[in-house]
Amino acid sequence: SIRNFGCVQIFYSVLHRFIFVRGMRKESESHGAYQDLVREVGAPNVLLTDNAKTQIGKKWTKTSRKNATRQIKTAPHNQNQNNAERKIQDVKRRTIMTLRYGKAPLVFWCFCMMFIVDCLNHSAQKELGYRTSMEKIHGHTPDISMFRFHFWEPVWYYEPTAKYPKSNFLPGRFVGIAWDHGDAFTYKIWT
């Protein structure tokens, strides 16, 4: 990817239909993604993993024990035993479709996948009584007014440090919402 990610770790809460994703440069970074899940969302009661070596190793087991998370493993080569696999396929399919329809370069898949997950987590679902995953996880209805741009949509952004005669408004491309910077209307813009 454009951020040198070669893979992702996706977590899916079957009960809340909540998706959490982290980009990684290599598979061995998956334990850090697990720690981010615990820190940002909370520790799951039960964690069902495939038999990836990184997910059954000492680091994962230590984190699960520390947070009283029961770890269960699927039988090798039986993806049908894990309900998250279908959602992971859906996220990947939507990411590819969004990149294609937006005519975005494929290397931006990392930003696009995060945006797709944000959209899914903020969308009401029939299975949740027409509530969102964010509401089920956090207990309040999320504001969706910041979802005003399509992925890779051309936008103008304000550059306050531009010196005259240069313009303060510059062209860019929308690549997501910057949840951890500024207010709710702070966006990630590719320049």
Side-chain angles (χ1 to χ4, degrees):
S1 78
I2 196 76
R3 295 189 290 181
N4 293 320
F5 293 147
C7 53
V8 293
Q9 181 68 53
I10 299 176
F11 297 90
Y12 178 62
S13 168
V14 177
L15 181 63
H16 305 101
R17 297 183 176 270
F18 182 81
I19 307 163
F20 184 83
V21 63
R22 278 293 178 264
M24 305 179 301
R25 286 170 178 75
K26 51 190 173 184
E27 193 176 357
S28 62
E29 296 175 359
S30 67
H31 179 253
Y34 182 25
Q35 289 176 313
D36 287 346
L37 171 74
V38 170
R39 188 181 76 237
E40 294 177 30
V41 180
N45 295 329
V46 178
L47 183 66
L48 176 65
T49 65
D50 56 18
N51 267 317
K53 289 183 182 183
T54 57
Q55 296 176 0
I56 59 175
K58 292 177 183 177
K59 289 181 181 179
W60 275 65
T61 303
K62 183 178 179 181
T63 300
S64 292
R65 283 184 181 146
K66 179 181 176 185
N67 295 296
T69 298
R70 182 174 169 226
Q71 250 182 275
I72 302 172
K73 301 164 202 75
T74 60
H77 311 294
N78 284 294
Q79 291 182 340
N80 61 324
Q81 292 181 347
N82 190 340
N83 292 335
E85 292 296 337
R86 174 55 91 203
K87 186 52 78 174
I88 291 167
Q89 290 172 358
D90 184 43
V91 167
K92 289 179 178 179
R93 181 184 58 79
R94 288 172 186 255
T95 299
I96 295 300
M97 284 177 26
T98 302
L99 288 167
R100 184 178 302 140
Y101 293 141
K103 296 183 176 137
L106 190 58
V107 293
F108 284 90
W109 67 263
C110 54
F111 285 109
C112 187
M113 183 177 280
M114 297 289 202
F115 181 66
I116 293 297
V117 167
D118 285 341
C119 290
L120 290 170
N121 284 338
H122 285 80
S123 298
Q125 299 178 43
K126 182 179 180 181
E127 298 83 4
L128 297 175
Y130 297 98
R131 299 291 178 201
T132 69
S133 300
M134 293 296 287
E135 184 175 355
K136 290 294 185 178
I137 288 284
H138 299 295
H140 56 84
T141 304
D143 182 8
I144 60 169
S145 58
M146 69 282 299
F147 287 90
R148 40 178 74 184
F149 301 110
H150 299 284
F151 187 81
W152 204 247
E153 181 176 340
V155 295
W156 291 93
Y157 71 96
Y158 180 68
E159 177 53 65
T161 61
K163 302 288 184 200
Y164 183 82
K166 291 184 179 178
S167 173
N168 283 38
F169 288 94
L170 302 171
R173 296 283 184 156
F174 173 80
V175 293
I177 301 169
W179 297 106
D180 53 355
H181 291 79
D183 64 21
F185 293 95
T186 304
Y187 299 108
K188 294 177 185 175
I189 307 296
W190 190 262
T191 60

PDB file of all heavy atoms in Angstrom, residues 89-125:
ATOM      1  N   GLN A  89     -14.495 -11.036   3.964  1.00  0.00           N
ATOM      2  CA  GLN A  89     -14.633 -11.094   2.508  1.00  0.00           C
ATOM      3  C   GLN A  89     -15.442  -9.909   1.999  1.00  0.00           C
ATOM      4  O   GLN A  89     -15.130  -9.314   0.964  1.00  0.00           O
ATOM      5  CB  GLN A  89     -15.303 -12.398   2.078  1.00  0.00           C
ATOM      6  CG  GLN A  89     -14.464 -13.624   2.266  1.00  0.00           C
ATOM      7  CD  GLN A  89     -15.253 -14.906   1.996  1.00  0.00           C
ATOM      8  OE1 GLN A  89     -16.446 -14.880   1.710  1.00  0.00           O
ATOM      9  NE2 GLN A  89     -14.571 -16.033   2.104  1.00  0.00           N
ATOM     10  N   ASP A  90     -16.496  -9.536   2.735  1.00  0.00           N
ATOM     11  CA  ASP A  90     -17.345  -8.410   2.347  1.00  0.00           C
ATOM     12  C   ASP A  90     -16.562  -7.095   2.381  1.00  0.00           C
ATOM     13  O   ASP A  90     -16.666  -6.280   1.466  1.00  0.00           O
ATOM     14  CB  ASP A  90     -18.558  -8.332   3.276  1.00  0.00           C
ATOM     15  CG  ASP A  90     -19.543  -7.247   2.874  1.00  0.00           C
ATOM     16  OD1 ASP A  90     -19.825  -7.118   1.660  1.00  0.00           O
ATOM     17  OD2 ASP A  90     -20.026  -6.538   3.770  1.00  0.00           O
ATOM     18  N   VAL A  91     -15.757  -6.896   3.417  1.00  0.00           N
ATOM     19  CA  VAL A  91     -14.947  -5.679   3.526  1.00  0.00           C
ATOM     20  C   VAL A  91     -13.957  -5.607   2.359  1.00  0.00           C
ATOM     21  O   VAL A  91     -13.801  -4.555   1.731  1.00  0.00           O
ATOM     22  CB  VAL A  91     -14.209  -5.623   4.883  1.00  0.00           C
ATOM     23  CG1 VAL A  91     -13.140  -4.543   4.892  1.00  0.00           C
ATOM     24  CG2 VAL A  91     -15.199  -5.405   6.020  1.00  0.00           C
ATOM     25  N   LYS A  92     -13.318  -6.705   2.041  1.00  0.00           N
ATOM     26  CA  LYS A  92     -12.360  -6.730   0.930  1.00  0.00           C
ATOM     27  C   LYS A  92     -13.060  -6.440  -0.400  1.00  0.00           C
ATOM     28  O   LYS A  92     -12.559  -5.660  -1.211  1.00  0.00           O
ATOM     29  CB  LYS A  92     -11.664  -8.086   0.863  1.00  0.00           C
ATOM     30  CG  LYS A  92     -10.680  -8.330   1.986  1.00  0.00           C
ATOM     31  CD  LYS A  92     -10.073  -9.712   1.846  1.00  0.00           C
ATOM     32  CE  LYS A  92      -9.054 -10.016   2.908  1.00  0.00           C
ATOM     33  NZ  LYS A  92      -8.507 -11.392   2.760  1.00  0.00           N
ATOM     34  N   ARG A  93     -14.216  -7.045  -0.618  1.00  0.00           N
ATOM     35  CA  ARG A  93     -14.966  -6.842  -1.865  1.00  0.00           C
ATOM     36  C   ARG A  93     -15.391  -5.381  -2.010  1.00  0.00           C
ATOM     37  O   ARG A  93     -15.236  -4.772  -3.067  1.00  0.00           O
ATOM     38  CB  ARG A  93     -16.193  -7.764  -1.887  1.00  0.00           C
ATOM     39  CG  ARG A  93     -17.041  -7.666  -3.150  1.00  0.00           C
ATOM     40  CD  ARG A  93     -18.282  -8.547  -3.056  1.00  0.00           C
ATOM     41  NE  ARG A  93     -19.129  -8.242  -1.923  1.00  0.00           N
ATOM     42  CZ  ARG A  93     -19.998  -7.225  -1.872  1.00  0.00           C
ATOM     43  NH1 ARG A  93     -20.130  -6.423  -2.903  1.00  0.00           N
ATOM     44  NH2 ARG A  93     -20.736  -7.022  -0.803  1.00  0.00           N
ATOM     45  N   ARG A  94     -15.910  -4.799  -0.931  1.00  0.00           N
ATOM     46  CA  ARG A  94     -16.337  -3.406  -0.969  1.00  0.00           C
ATOM     47  C   ARG A  94     -15.152  -2.461  -1.202  1.00  0.00           C
ATOM     48  O   ARG A  94     -15.288  -1.439  -1.869  1.00  0.00           O
ATOM     49  CB  ARG A  94     -17.056  -3.028   0.324  1.00  0.00           C
ATOM     50  CG  ARG A  94     -18.435  -3.644   0.457  1.00  0.00           C
ATOM     51  CD  ARG A  94     -18.995  -3.376   1.851  1.00  0.00           C
ATOM     52  NE  ARG A  94     -20.242  -4.048   2.075  1.00  0.00           N
ATOM     53  CZ  ARG A  94     -21.432  -3.447   2.085  1.00  0.00           C
ATOM     54  NH1 ARG A  94     -21.520  -2.149   1.868  1.00  0.00           N
ATOM     55  NH2 ARG A  94     -22.522  -4.139   2.314  1.00  0.00           N
ATOM     56  N   THR A  95     -14.014  -2.794  -0.632  1.00  0.00           N
ATOM     57  CA  THR A  95     -12.813  -1.977  -0.823  1.00  0.00           C
ATOM     58  C   THR A  95     -12.408  -1.962  -2.288  1.00  0.00           C
ATOM     59  O   THR A  95     -12.164  -0.894  -2.866  1.00  0.00           O
ATOM     60  CB  THR A  95     -11.656  -2.505   0.052  1.00  0.00           C
ATOM     61  OG1 THR A  95     -12.046  -2.433   1.431  1.00  0.00           O
ATOM     62  CG2 THR A  95     -10.391  -1.704  -0.154  1.00  0.00           C
ATOM     63  N   ILE A  96     -12.349  -3.127  -2.901  1.00  0.00           N
ATOM     64  CA  ILE A  96     -11.969  -3.218  -4.319  1.00  0.00           C
ATOM     65  C   ILE A  96     -12.980  -2.485  -5.198  1.00  0.00           C
ATOM     66  O   ILE A  96     -12.603  -1.744  -6.116  1.00  0.00           O
ATOM     67  CB  ILE A  96     -11.824  -4.693  -4.757  1.00  0.00           C
ATOM     68  CG1 ILE A  96     -10.672  -5.360  -4.011  1.00  0.00           C
ATOM     69  CG2 ILE A  96     -11.648  -4.819  -6.254  1.00  0.00           C
ATOM     70  CD1 ILE A  96      -9.322  -4.716  -4.236  1.00  0.00           C
ATOM     71  N   MET A  97     -14.272  -2.653  -4.920  1.00  0.00           N
ATOM     72  CA  MET A  97     -15.309  -1.968  -5.709  1.00  0.00           C
ATOM     73  C   MET A  97     -15.195  -0.447  -5.574  1.00  0.00           C
ATOM     74  O   MET A  97     -15.313   0.284  -6.555  1.00  0.00           O
ATOM     75  CB  MET A  97     -16.703  -2.423  -5.276  1.00  0.00           C
ATOM     76  CG  MET A  97     -17.078  -3.783  -5.781  1.00  0.00           C
ATOM     77  SD  MET A  97     -18.685  -4.428  -5.225  1.00  0.00           S
ATOM     78  CE  MET A  97     -19.652  -3.018  -4.868  1.00  0.00           C
ATOM     79  N   THR A  98     -14.955   0.038  -4.368  1.00  0.00           N
ATOM     80  CA  THR A  98     -14.841   1.476  -4.136  1.00  0.00           C
ATOM     81  C   THR A  98     -13.632   2.048  -4.854  1.00  0.00           C
ATOM     82  O   THR A  98     -13.706   3.125  -5.458  1.00  0.00           O
ATOM     83  CB  THR A  98     -14.777   1.771  -2.625  1.00  0.00           C
ATOM     84  OG1 THR A  98     -15.954   1.247  -2.002  1.00  0.00           O
ATOM     85  CG2 THR A  98     -14.674   3.258  -2.350  1.00  0.00           C
ATOM     86  N   LEU A  99     -12.514   1.343  -4.799  1.00  0.00           N
ATOM     87  CA  LEU A  99     -11.324   1.787  -5.524  1.00  0.00           C
ATOM     88  C   LEU A  99     -11.600   1.845  -7.023  1.00  0.00           C
ATOM     89  O   LEU A  99     -11.221   2.802  -7.705  1.00  0.00           O
ATOM     90  CB  LEU A  99     -10.141   0.849  -5.247  1.00  0.00           C
ATOM     91  CG  LEU A  99      -9.522   0.933  -3.859  1.00  0.00           C
ATOM     92  CD1 LEU A  99      -8.586  -0.246  -3.626  1.00  0.00           C
ATOM     93  CD2 LEU A  99      -8.775   2.249  -3.677  1.00  0.00           C
ATOM     94  N   ARG A 100     -12.268   0.820  -7.537  1.00  0.00           N
ATOM     95  CA  ARG A 100     -12.558   0.743  -8.972  1.00  0.00           C
ATOM     96  C   ARG A 100     -13.505   1.861  -9.410  1.00  0.00           C
ATOM     97  O   ARG A 100     -13.241   2.581 -10.359  1.00  0.00           O
ATOM     98  CB  ARG A 100     -13.167  -0.617  -9.312  1.00  0.00           C
ATOM     99  CG  ARG A 100     -13.405  -0.807 -10.810  1.00  0.00           C
ATOM    100  CD  ARG A 100     -13.970  -2.162 -11.135  1.00  0.00           C
ATOM    101  NE  ARG A 100     -13.089  -3.220 -10.665  1.00  0.00           N
ATOM    102  CZ  ARG A 100     -13.520  -4.358 -10.105  1.00  0.00           C
ATOM    103  NH1 ARG A 100     -14.806  -4.595  -9.962  1.00  0.00           N
ATOM    104  NH2 ARG A 100     -12.668  -5.269  -9.708  1.00  0.00           N
ATOM    105  N   TYR A 101     -14.620   2.041  -8.688  1.00  0.00           N
ATOM    106  CA  TYR A 101     -15.599   3.047  -9.075  1.00  0.00           C
ATOM    107  C   TYR A 101     -15.079   4.476  -8.885  1.00  0.00           C
ATOM    108  O   TYR A 101     -15.439   5.370  -9.629  1.00  0.00           O
ATOM    109  CB  TYR A 101     -16.915   2.864  -8.320  1.00  0.00           C
ATOM    110  CG  TYR A 101     -17.638   1.604  -8.697  1.00  0.00           C
ATOM    111  CD1 TYR A 101     -18.301   0.846  -7.740  1.00  0.00           C
ATOM    112  CD2 TYR A 101     -17.657   1.140 -10.007  1.00  0.00           C
ATOM    113  CE1 TYR A 101     -18.964  -0.331  -8.081  1.00  0.00           C
ATOM    114  CE2 TYR A 101     -18.316  -0.027 -10.350  1.00  0.00           C
ATOM    115  CZ  TYR A 101     -18.963  -0.752  -9.386  1.00  0.00           C
ATOM    116  OH  TYR A 101     -19.610  -1.907  -9.723  1.00  0.00           O
ATOM    117  N   GLY A 102     -14.224   4.666  -7.886  1.00  0.00           N
ATOM    118  CA  GLY A 102     -13.652   5.987  -7.651  1.00  0.00           C
ATOM    119  C   GLY A 102     -12.434   6.271  -8.511  1.00  0.00           C
ATOM    120  O   GLY A 102     -11.880   7.362  -8.456  1.00  0.00           O
ATOM    121  N   LYS A 103     -12.001   5.249  -9.263  1.00  0.00           N
ATOM    122  CA  LYS A 103     -10.805   5.363 -10.116  1.00  0.00           C
ATOM    123  C   LYS A 103      -9.581   5.758  -9.302  1.00  0.00           C
ATOM    124  O   LYS A 103      -8.735   6.544  -9.745  1.00  0.00           O
ATOM    125  CB  LYS A 103     -11.057   6.324 -11.271  1.00  0.00           C
ATOM    126  CG  LYS A 103     -12.141   5.828 -12.204  1.00  0.00           C
ATOM    127  CD  LYS A 103     -12.335   6.734 -13.390  1.00  0.00           C
ATOM    128  CE  LYS A 103     -13.376   6.068 -14.287  1.00  0.00           C
ATOM    129  NZ  LYS A 103     -14.348   6.959 -14.803  1.00  0.00           N
ATOM    130  N   ALA A 104      -9.494   5.205  -8.094  1.00  0.00           N
ATOM    131  CA  ALA A 104      -8.359   5.474  -7.213  1.00  0.00           C
ATOM    132  C   ALA A 104      -7.254   4.457  -7.487  1.00  0.00           C
ATOM    133  O   ALA A 104      -7.540   3.307  -7.815  1.00  0.00           O
ATOM    134  CB  ALA A 104      -8.799   5.370  -5.750  1.00  0.00           C
ATOM    135  N   PRO A 105      -6.010   4.858  -7.343  1.00  0.00           N
ATOM    136  CA  PRO A 105      -4.906   3.897  -7.500  1.00  0.00           C
ATOM    137  C   PRO A 105      -5.009   2.777  -6.466  1.00  0.00           C
ATOM    138  O   PRO A 105      -5.370   3.015  -5.307  1.00  0.00           O
ATOM    139  CB  PRO A 105      -3.660   4.743  -7.261  1.00  0.00           C
ATOM    140  CG  PRO A 105      -4.084   6.153  -7.534  1.00  0.00           C
ATOM    141  CD  PRO A 105      -5.526   6.214  -7.121  1.00  0.00           C
ATOM    142  N   LEU A 106      -4.689   1.575  -6.873  1.00  0.00           N
ATOM    143  CA  LEU A 106      -4.800   0.396  -6.013  1.00  0.00           C
ATOM    144  C   LEU A 106      -3.971   0.518  -4.732  1.00  0.00           C
ATOM    145  O   LEU A 106      -4.342  -0.028  -3.697  1.00  0.00           O
ATOM    146  CB  LEU A 106      -4.399  -0.857  -6.796  1.00  0.00           C
ATOM    147  CG  LEU A 106      -4.659  -2.197  -6.146  1.00  0.00           C
ATOM    148  CD1 LEU A 106      -6.129  -2.376  -5.818  1.00  0.00           C
ATOM    149  CD2 LEU A 106      -4.189  -3.327  -7.055  1.00  0.00           C
ATOM    150  N   VAL A 107      -2.869   1.270  -4.787  1.00  0.00           N
ATOM    151  CA  VAL A 107      -2.006   1.393  -3.599  1.00  0.00           C
ATOM    152  C   VAL A 107      -2.697   2.118  -2.446  1.00  0.00           C
ATOM    153  O   VAL A 107      -2.194   2.106  -1.324  1.00  0.00           O
ATOM    154  CB  VAL A 107      -0.666   2.090  -3.924  1.00  0.00           C
ATOM    155  CG1 VAL A 107       0.190   1.233  -4.828  1.00  0.00           C
ATOM    156  CG2 VAL A 107      -0.889   3.468  -4.500  1.00  0.00           C
ATOM    157  N   PHE A 108      -3.863   2.720  -2.690  1.00  0.00           N
ATOM    158  CA  PHE A 108      -4.608   3.411  -1.629  1.00  0.00           C
ATOM    159  C   PHE A 108      -5.616   2.483  -0.944  1.00  0.00           C
ATOM    160  O   PHE A 108      -6.499   2.941  -0.225  1.00  0.00           O
ATOM    161  CB  PHE A 108      -5.303   4.655  -2.186  1.00  0.00           C
ATOM    162  CG  PHE A 108      -4.351   5.787  -2.426  1.00  0.00           C
ATOM    163  CD1 PHE A 108      -3.715   5.927  -3.643  1.00  0.00           C
ATOM    164  CD2 PHE A 108      -4.074   6.690  -1.417  1.00  0.00           C
ATOM    165  CE1 PHE A 108      -2.815   6.954  -3.870  1.00  0.00           C
ATOM    166  CE2 PHE A 108      -3.178   7.727  -1.630  1.00  0.00           C
ATOM    167  CZ  PHE A 108      -2.549   7.859  -2.856  1.00  0.00           C
ATOM    168  N   TRP A 109      -5.468   1.165  -1.132  1.00  0.00           N
ATOM    169  CA  TRP A 109      -6.398   0.209  -0.527  1.00  0.00           C
ATOM    170  C   TRP A 109      -6.436   0.344   0.994  1.00  0.00           C
ATOM    171  O   TRP A 109      -7.479   0.133   1.609  1.00  0.00           O
ATOM    172  CB  TRP A 109      -6.075  -1.228  -0.936  1.00  0.00           C
ATOM    173  CG  TRP A 109      -4.772  -1.751  -0.414  1.00  0.00           C
ATOM    174  CD1 TRP A 109      -3.578  -1.798  -1.056  1.00  0.00           C
ATOM    175  CD2 TRP A 109      -4.533  -2.325   0.887  1.00  0.00           C
ATOM    176  NE1 TRP A 109      -2.609  -2.343  -0.255  1.00  0.00           N
ATOM    177  CE2 TRP A 109      -3.170  -2.686   0.954  1.00  0.00           C
ATOM    178  CE3 TRP A 109      -5.326  -2.563   2.002  1.00  0.00           C
ATOM    179  CZ2 TRP A 109      -2.589  -3.271   2.070  1.00  0.00           C
ATOM    180  CZ3 TRP A 109      -4.758  -3.148   3.127  1.00  0.00           C
ATOM    181  CH2 TRP A 109      -3.399  -3.497   3.146  1.00  0.00           C
ATOM    182  N   CYS A 110      -5.315   0.706   1.618  1.00  0.00           N
ATOM    183  CA  CYS A 110      -5.273   0.812   3.084  1.00  0.00           C
ATOM    184  C   CYS A 110      -6.199   1.916   3.591  1.00  0.00           C
ATOM    185  O   CYS A 110      -6.950   1.714   4.551  1.00  0.00           O
ATOM    186  CB  CYS A 110      -3.843   1.035   3.562  1.00  0.00           C
ATOM    187  SG  CYS A 110      -3.014   2.442   2.790  1.00  0.00           S
ATOM    188  N   PHE A 111      -6.175   3.085   2.950  1.00  0.00           N
ATOM    189  CA  PHE A 111      -7.082   4.165   3.333  1.00  0.00           C
ATOM    190  C   PHE A 111      -8.526   3.792   3.018  1.00  0.00           C
ATOM    191  O   PHE A 111      -9.440   4.050   3.795  1.00  0.00           O
ATOM    192  CB  PHE A 111      -6.724   5.457   2.581  1.00  0.00           C
ATOM    193  CG  PHE A 111      -5.498   6.149   3.097  1.00  0.00           C
ATOM    194  CD1 PHE A 111      -4.333   6.156   2.347  1.00  0.00           C
ATOM    195  CD2 PHE A 111      -5.505   6.813   4.312  1.00  0.00           C
ATOM    196  CE1 PHE A 111      -3.199   6.812   2.800  1.00  0.00           C
ATOM    197  CE2 PHE A 111      -4.377   7.473   4.774  1.00  0.00           C
ATOM    198  CZ  PHE A 111      -3.219   7.467   4.011  1.00  0.00           C
ATOM    199  N   CYS A 112      -8.726   3.185   1.852  1.00  0.00           N
ATOM    200  CA  CYS A 112     -10.071   2.829   1.411  1.00  0.00           C
ATOM    201  C   CYS A 112     -10.706   1.804   2.353  1.00  0.00           C
ATOM    202  O   CYS A 112     -11.876   1.933   2.718  1.00  0.00           O
ATOM    203  CB  CYS A 112     -10.022   2.294  -0.020  1.00  0.00           C
ATOM    204  SG  CYS A 112     -11.648   2.009  -0.735  1.00  0.00           S
ATOM    205  N   MET A 113      -9.943   0.801   2.775  1.00  0.00           N
ATOM    206  CA  MET A 113     -10.487  -0.219   3.679  1.00  0.00           C
ATOM    207  C   MET A 113     -10.909   0.403   5.003  1.00  0.00           C
ATOM    208  O   MET A 113     -11.970   0.075   5.540  1.00  0.00           O
ATOM    209  CB  MET A 113      -9.470  -1.333   3.910  1.00  0.00           C
ATOM    210  CG  MET A 113     -10.004  -2.450   4.791  1.00  0.00           C
ATOM    211  SD  MET A 113      -8.860  -3.817   4.999  1.00  0.00           S
ATOM    212  CE  MET A 113      -9.133  -4.695   3.471  1.00  0.00           C
ATOM    213  N   MET A 114     -10.102   1.323   5.524  1.00  0.00           N
ATOM    214  CA  MET A 114     -10.462   1.993   6.779  1.00  0.00           C
ATOM    215  C   MET A 114     -11.757   2.797   6.603  1.00  0.00           C
ATOM    216  O   MET A 114     -12.616   2.797   7.490  1.00  0.00           O
ATOM    217  CB  MET A 114      -9.353   2.948   7.223  1.00  0.00           C
ATOM    218  CG  MET A 114      -8.058   2.287   7.544  1.00  0.00           C
ATOM    219  SD  MET A 114      -8.169   1.359   9.060  1.00  0.00           S
ATOM    220  CE  MET A 114      -6.459   1.271   9.489  1.00  0.00           C
ATOM    221  N   PHE A 115     -11.897   3.466   5.455  1.00  0.00           N
ATOM    222  CA  PHE A 115     -13.102   4.244   5.184  1.00  0.00           C
ATOM    223  C   PHE A 115     -14.323   3.329   5.063  1.00  0.00           C
ATOM    224  O   PHE A 115     -15.396   3.634   5.600  1.00  0.00           O
ATOM    225  CB  PHE A 115     -12.928   5.093   3.922  1.00  0.00           C
ATOM    226  CG  PHE A 115     -14.112   5.939   3.600  1.00  0.00           C
ATOM    227  CD1 PHE A 115     -14.495   6.973   4.442  1.00  0.00           C
ATOM    228  CD2 PHE A 115     -14.863   5.706   2.469  1.00  0.00           C
ATOM    229  CE1 PHE A 115     -15.602   7.756   4.159  1.00  0.00           C
ATOM    230  CE2 PHE A 115     -15.972   6.484   2.175  1.00  0.00           C
ATOM    231  CZ  PHE A 115     -16.335   7.506   3.023  1.00  0.00           C
ATOM    232  N   ILE A 116     -14.174   2.204   4.394  1.00  0.00           N
ATOM    233  CA  ILE A 116     -15.269   1.236   4.250  1.00  0.00           C
ATOM    234  C   ILE A 116     -15.711   0.747   5.629  1.00  0.00           C
ATOM    235  O   ILE A 116     -16.910   0.678   5.930  1.00  0.00           O
ATOM    236  CB  ILE A 116     -14.850   0.049   3.352  1.00  0.00           C
ATOM    237  CG1 ILE A 116     -14.640   0.506   1.912  1.00  0.00           C
ATOM    238  CG2 ILE A 116     -15.831  -1.102   3.440  1.00  0.00           C
ATOM    239  CD1 ILE A 116     -15.873   1.049   1.237  1.00  0.00           C
ATOM    240  N   VAL A 117     -14.764   0.419   6.484  1.00  0.00           N
ATOM    241  CA  VAL A 117     -15.082  -0.050   7.846  1.00  0.00           C
ATOM    242  C   VAL A 117     -15.799   1.053   8.627  1.00  0.00           C
ATOM    243  O   VAL A 117     -16.780   0.780   9.330  1.00  0.00           O
ATOM    244  CB  VAL A 117     -13.808  -0.547   8.561  1.00  0.00           C
ATOM    245  CG1 VAL A 117     -14.040  -0.724  10.048  1.00  0.00           C
ATOM    246  CG2 VAL A 117     -13.327  -1.847   7.929  1.00  0.00           C
ATOM    247  N   ASP A 118     -15.345   2.301   8.483  1.00  0.00           N
ATOM    248  CA  ASP A 118     -16.036   3.417   9.145  1.00  0.00           C
ATOM    249  C   ASP A 118     -17.484   3.504   8.679  1.00  0.00           C
ATOM    250  O   ASP A 118     -18.396   3.679   9.486  1.00  0.00           O
ATOM    251  CB  ASP A 118     -15.323   4.741   8.862  1.00  0.00           C
ATOM    252  CG  ASP A 118     -14.038   4.911   9.640  1.00  0.00           C
ATOM    253  OD1 ASP A 118     -13.852   4.211  10.653  1.00  0.00           O
ATOM    254  OD2 ASP A 118     -13.213   5.760   9.232  1.00  0.00           O
ATOM    255  N   CYS A 119     -17.691   3.391   7.361  1.00  0.00           N
ATOM    256  CA  CYS A 119     -19.052   3.461   6.811  1.00  0.00           C
ATOM    257  C   CYS A 119     -19.923   2.321   7.343  1.00  0.00           C
ATOM    258  O   CYS A 119     -21.066   2.547   7.743  1.00  0.00           O
ATOM    259  CB  CYS A 119     -19.014   3.406   5.282  1.00  0.00           C
ATOM    260  SG  CYS A 119     -18.332   4.874   4.510  1.00  0.00           S
ATOM    261  N   LEU A 120     -19.386   1.109   7.354  1.00  0.00           N
ATOM    262  CA  LEU A 120     -20.157  -0.042   7.832  1.00  0.00           C
ATOM    263  C   LEU A 120     -20.494   0.088   9.316  1.00  0.00           C
ATOM    264  O   LEU A 120     -21.614  -0.221   9.734  1.00  0.00           O
ATOM    265  CB  LEU A 120     -19.398  -1.344   7.567  1.00  0.00           C
ATOM    266  CG  LEU A 120     -19.280  -1.760   6.105  1.00  0.00           C
ATOM    267  CD1 LEU A 120     -18.310  -2.933   5.948  1.00  0.00           C
ATOM    268  CD2 LEU A 120     -20.639  -2.124   5.534  1.00  0.00           C
ATOM    269  N   ASN A 121     -19.539   0.540  10.121  1.00  0.00           N
ATOM    270  CA  ASN A 121     -19.778   0.683  11.559  1.00  0.00           C
ATOM    271  C   ASN A 121     -20.768   1.802  11.885  1.00  0.00           C
ATOM    272  O   ASN A 121     -21.358   1.803  12.958  1.00  0.00           O
ATOM    273  CB  ASN A 121     -18.459   0.929  12.303  1.00  0.00           C
ATOM    274  CG  ASN A 121     -17.633  -0.325  12.448  1.00  0.00           C
ATOM    275  OD1 ASN A 121     -18.141  -1.442  12.380  1.00  0.00           O
ATOM    276  ND2 ASN A 121     -16.342  -0.143  12.643  1.00  0.00           N
ATOM    277  N   HIS A 122     -20.945   2.748  10.973  1.00  0.00           N
ATOM    278  CA  HIS A 122     -21.863   3.868  11.196  1.00  0.00           C
ATOM    279  C   HIS A 122     -23.192   3.704  10.461  1.00  0.00           C
ATOM    280  O   HIS A 122     -24.004   4.629  10.432  1.00  0.00           O
ATOM    281  CB  HIS A 122     -21.199   5.188  10.777  1.00  0.00           C
ATOM    282  CG  HIS A 122     -20.177   5.671  11.740  1.00  0.00           C
ATOM    283  ND1 HIS A 122     -18.896   5.176  11.770  1.00  0.00           N
ATOM    284  CD2 HIS A 122     -20.253   6.609  12.720  1.00  0.00           C
ATOM    285  CE1 HIS A 122     -18.233   5.785  12.726  1.00  0.00           C
ATOM    286  NE2 HIS A 122     -19.021   6.655  13.319  1.00  0.00           N
ATOM    287  N   SER A 123     -23.421   2.549   9.852  1.00  0.00           N
ATOM    288  CA  SER A 123     -24.664   2.295   9.111  1.00  0.00           C
ATOM    289  C   SER A 123     -25.618   1.454   9.947  1.00  0.00           C
ATOM    290  O   SER A 123     -25.205   0.464  10.569  1.00  0.00           O
ATOM    291  CB  SER A 123     -24.367   1.544   7.809  1.00  0.00           C
ATOM    292  OG  SER A 123     -23.553   2.316   6.978  1.00  0.00           O
ATOM    293  N   ALA A 124     -26.892   1.836   9.955  1.00  0.00           N
ATOM    294  CA  ALA A 124     -27.910   1.067  10.679  1.00  0.00           C
ATOM    295  C   ALA A 124     -28.082  -0.294  10.014  1.00  0.00           C
ATOM    296  O   ALA A 124     -27.995  -0.414   8.795  1.00  0.00           O
ATOM    297  CB  ALA A 124     -29.224   1.827  10.698  1.00  0.00           C
ATOM    298  N   GLN A 125     -28.314  -1.304  10.830  1.00  0.00           N
ATOM    299  CA  GLN A 125     -28.462  -2.668  10.326  1.00  0.00           C
ATOM    300  C   GLN A 125     -29.741  -3.298  10.865  1.00  0.00           C
ATOM    301  O   GLN A 125     -30.045  -3.179  12.055  1.00  0.00           O
ATOM    302  CB  GLN A 125     -27.252  -3.508  10.736  1.00  0.00           C
ATOM    303  CG  GLN A 125     -25.946  -2.978  10.180  1.00  0.00           C
ATOM    304  CD  GLN A 125     -24.770  -3.794  10.631  1.00  0.00           C
ATOM    305  OE1 GLN A 125     -24.824  -5.021  10.636  1.00  0.00           O
ATOM    306  NE2 GLN A 125     -23.706  -3.127  11.025  1.00  0.00           N
TER     307      GLN A 125
END
